[in-house]
Amino acid sequence: EPEVTQTPSHQVTQMGQEVILRCVPISNHLYFYWYRQILGQKVEFLVSFYNNEISEKSEIFDDQFSVERPDGSNFTLKIRSTKLEDSAMYFCASSGFSSYNEQFFGPGTRLTVL
Amino acid sequence: AQSVAQPEDQVNVAEGNPLTVKCTYSVSGNPYLFWYVQYPNRGLQFLLKYITGDNLVKGSYGFEAEFNKSQTSFHLKKPSALVSDSALYFCAVRDMDMDSNYQLIWGAGTKLIIKP
């Protein structure tokens, strides 16, 4: 069964450093998403991406964040200068031919900023 | 503003008994509702969804959910709980009437513990 994969599973970085979180969505899906979950808190939407551009973003997704689909298979989230409060589990998701299809999630990347 | 409430942090059920995990929502338009399950150290797995039609929707692993428009609820149910159902359950909503709104709004999650 096709699934969304994410690498790395755990990333530890120093405050101020850049990180890139990688995702491989399900191959025939057209819509891509990033969410985050700070420990003990709700899942929060960051950004959605369709047709090679951002379709929607939340207030969390400020200038420090960017997304890219560099090669037609990977979908990346970059944080330019990490802060302590960026420590969270980051989930990538994808959905199929319509944005009304259910979103399928990857296992997540745990980001720890020291 | 869109929101989802899961009023119970934890639900305890004996194996073999029916279970209910509660969810209420608030959207300005018509809701598009989901349940996801999260096992320890795993991602969010889709269980079921409601878009339109029959108010009772059936999903994976014997789960079902009932959409109640008047009560703005979408409670998750299963007739007979298994120990393996123990996990964290999330309810999520999207406002169908907002074409540019792709995001899911999530509840805080309910920890379901099934005791043998």
Side-chain angles (χ1 to χ4, degrees), chain B residues 1-4 25-28 105:
Chain B
Q2 301 170 78
S3 65
V4 175
Y25 66 89
S26 174
V27 294
S28 55
I105 304 298

Side-chain angles (χ1 to χ4, degrees), chain B residues 73-95:
Chain B
S73 66
F74 189 57
H75 301 330
L76 181 71
K77 301 181 181 185
K78 186 172 181 180
S80 178
L82 300 172
V83 172
S84 58
D85 292 330
S86 299
L88 192 55
Y89 290 81
F90 291 93
C91 181
V93 69
R94 180 184 162 190
D95 190 335

Side-chain angles (χ1 to χ4, degrees), chain B residues 11-20 78-86 112-116:
Chain B
V11 171
N12 298 300
V13 178
E15 186 176 29
N17 283 0
L19 69 87
T20 299
K78 186 172 181 180
S80 178
L82 300 172
V83 172
S84 58
D85 292 330
S86 299
L112 178 63
I113 297 176
I114 308 300
K115 298 181 179 178

